[in-house]
Amino acid sequence: MKVLKVVVSLLLLLTPLYANSLEWNLTANTTDLNLFSSQYVGQLIYQGEGDNPIEVTNIGPLPYGEASERFYYTHQNESNRWQRVLLEVTLRGHRHSSGKVEILNIDNRLLQYSGDSFTIPIGAGPDLIPNPGFVEGYNSDGVLGRGSNYHYRYPYQFITIELAVTPTSDNNLTGSSTQGIYESNLHFSGDNLALILSLEGRSRAEMVAEGHTFSIEMVAHETLPFDQLIERDSFTNTLRVGVIEYSSFETGATVNFASDATSSGADFQLTSIRNSIPYSLVFESNLPPKRAEKVLENSSGFPTTTLQLKKTTSTHSEVITEHLLSGEVGIYVDKALKNSRLPADFYSTQIYCIITSW
């Protein structure tokens, strides 16, 4: 039995958040390059004016001899090995202190060619209007009106841009040539904003050779205002903070979470020099699909499931077993926190992820 401990740090800022026009909400680390289905790769945070088109272009590396107006993952060392992908964009508006999240594009925007764009339909940001009551503004629920409660310039605090890549049948990945690391660099540009996203992915064949992979992605914003945290106050209304994925062609595993590295305790706290805030941790498994479960002290953990895959080469084929677990981590605080008077400060926490293989 092998045990691996991973630490995830989360920093919360209990003061208003003023972000740039466009920034990354998480770092896109090297991940499994799934050649068969769509996969989530990252998230952007937008604040600014509405009706703002954002153009996405492919800035390389380009596959050898292929058209430059498409999106690709290209092999790091062999440019003649590549996979064409499509980009799927989902926009979510986050209200001010109410904490509500709404999908802004019911039909996700699919970007097929370099230079395609999507549009931010409405403004977002913490800006206040100068004379509430005399001019129209938005309240915390995004309702337009006049009065002391209608003091926001925009209906949303910020907008998240969630990105997924979908592989197409257009590729040059045959036999063992799929092994290795693939890259894709994307440039986002709009009115007074520009950003480059660098993506990397490992092919499935490389994963078979390496045995197993485990990844954690932090999806909560690096800093979070207190008035948004206190709205996440129940098991069914959590703040999504992380996504985990485990894959192994050798061993199954059980994943658990703890508040310290030496035990299976569940005393989760956001702490500053002067104070602390207790919170609860929830894990919802997507694969295998299970209901969300609160992490308790001495929890038995979350085991992997198995998937049978057929591996085919030029000379033979075989069925191999993959052990899989993926899911989302969320947190919530006590409802009584809304009535507390905590001092403004930086509060941070660490969540220990413990993987036990078997």
Side-chain angles (χ1 to χ4, degrees), residues 1 37 52-53 67 74-75 84-85 110 112 136 140 146 197 214 225 238 241 254 281 286 299 304 309 311 316 331 341:
M1 181 178 70
S37 63
N52 188 0
T74 305
H75 195 283
R84 184 189 173 195
V85 297
L110 194 65
Q112 301 186 54
E136 287 188 321
S140 61
R146 295 176 185 267
L197 168 64
F214 179 76
T238 62
V241 298
T254 298
L281 192 74
N286 299 323
S299 170
T304 56
L309 300 174
K311 180 183 177 183
H316 73 285
I331 68 172
R341 303 185 66 179

Side-chain angles (χ1 to χ4, degrees), residues 98-135:
S98 70
K100 293 181 180 178
V101 180
E102 300 169 351
I103 296 180
L104 301 183
N105 56 335
I106 298 176
D107 297 321
N108 296 346
R109 180 76 169 96
L110 194 65
L111 309 183
Q112 301 186 54
Y113 298 98
S114 179
D116 281 355
S117 64
F118 60 92
T119 299
I120 303 295
I122 197 165
D127 309 54
L128 303 178
I129 58 176
N131 298 301
F134 295 95
V135 296

Side-chain angles (χ1 to χ4, degrees), residues 75-91:
H75 195 283
Q76 195 174 57
N77 300 318
E78 301 176 66
S79 62
N80 62 332
R81 307 301 183 194
W82 50 270
Q83 169 68 58
R84 184 189 173 195
V85 297
L86 308 179
L87 300 180
E88 187 177 9
V89 177
T90 303
L91 304 177

Side-chain angles (χ1 to χ4, degrees), residues 323-344:
H323 302 269
L324 296 166
L325 176 69
S326 66
E328 299 180 355
V329 181
I331 68 172
Y332 68 93
V333 296
D334 192 274
K335 293 181 182 294
L337 190 61
K338 290 182 179 180
N339 300 320
S340 65
R341 303 185 66 179
L342 293 171

Side-chain angles (χ1 to χ4, degrees), residues 58-199:
N58 174 22
I59 58 174
L62 293 176
Y64 177 76
E66 295 302 315
S68 61
E69 71 273 10
R70 298 173 179 175
F71 298 111
Y72 300 95
Y73 274 92
T74 305
H75 195 283
Q76 195 174 57
N77 300 318
E78 301 176 66
S79 62
N80 62 332
R81 307 301 183 194
W82 50 270
Q83 169 68 58
R84 184 189 173 195
V85 297
L86 308 179
L87 300 180
E88 187 177 9
V89 177
T90 303
L91 304 177
R92 300 181 191 272
H94 297 249
R95 297 294 187 187
H96 294 278
S97 59
S98 70
K100 293 181 180 178
V101 180
E102 300 169 351
I103 296 180
L104 301 183
N105 56 335
I106 298 176
D107 297 321
N108 296 346
R109 180 76 169 96
L110 194 65
L111 309 183
Q112 301 186 54
Y113 298 98
S114 179
D116 281 355
S117 64
F118 60 92
T119 299
I120 303 295
I122 197 165
D127 309 54
L128 303 178
I129 58 176
N131 298 301
F134 295 95
V135 296
E136 287 188 321
Y138 295 93
N139 65 9
S140 61
D141 289 317
V143 177
L144 186 65
R146 295 176 185 267
S148 59
N149 292 329
Y150 298 86
H151 50 264
Y152 292 108
R153 183 180 300 276
Y154 303 110
Y156 295 101
Q157 176 83 3
F158 59 91
I159 292 172
T160 54
I161 304 167
E162 297 183 357
L163 302 172
V165 295
T166 301
T168 71
S169 59
D170 190 11
N171 61 60
N172 185 28
L173 301 170
T174 57
S176 61
S177 65
T178 60
Q179 295 186 15
I181 297 177
Y182 292 74
E183 298 176 300
S184 181
N185 294 299
L186 306 175
H187 181 258
F188 293 77
S189 60
D191 186 17
N192 295 320
L193 62 87
L195 192 67
I196 293 176
L197 168 64
S198 297
L199 297 172

Side-chain angles (χ1 to χ4, degrees), residues 2-79:
K2 297 181 180 179
V3 178
L4 172 66
K5 295 182 180 179
V6 182
V7 182
V8 180
S9 295
L10 175 65
L11 175 66
L12 297 180
L13 174 62
L14 304 193
T15 55
L17 170 65
Y18 296 94
N20 297 325
S21 294
L22 191 66
E23 64 178 16
W24 285 111
N25 196 17
L26 60 89
T27 301
N29 295 321
T30 300
T31 59
D32 167 25
L33 176 57
N34 192 329
L35 305 180
F36 307 103
S37 63
S38 177
Q39 68 181 121
Y40 170 85
V41 294
Q43 188 182 82
L44 289 161
I45 299 293
Y46 176 85
Q47 289 184 315
E49 297 293 335
D51 196 26
N52 188 0
I54 297 179
E55 183 180 279
V56 185
T57 54
N58 174 22
I59 58 174
L62 293 176
Y64 177 76
E66 295 302 315
S68 61
E69 71 273 10
R70 298 173 179 175
F71 298 111
Y72 300 95
Y73 274 92
T74 305
H75 195 283
Q76 195 174 57
N77 300 318
E78 301 176 66
S79 62

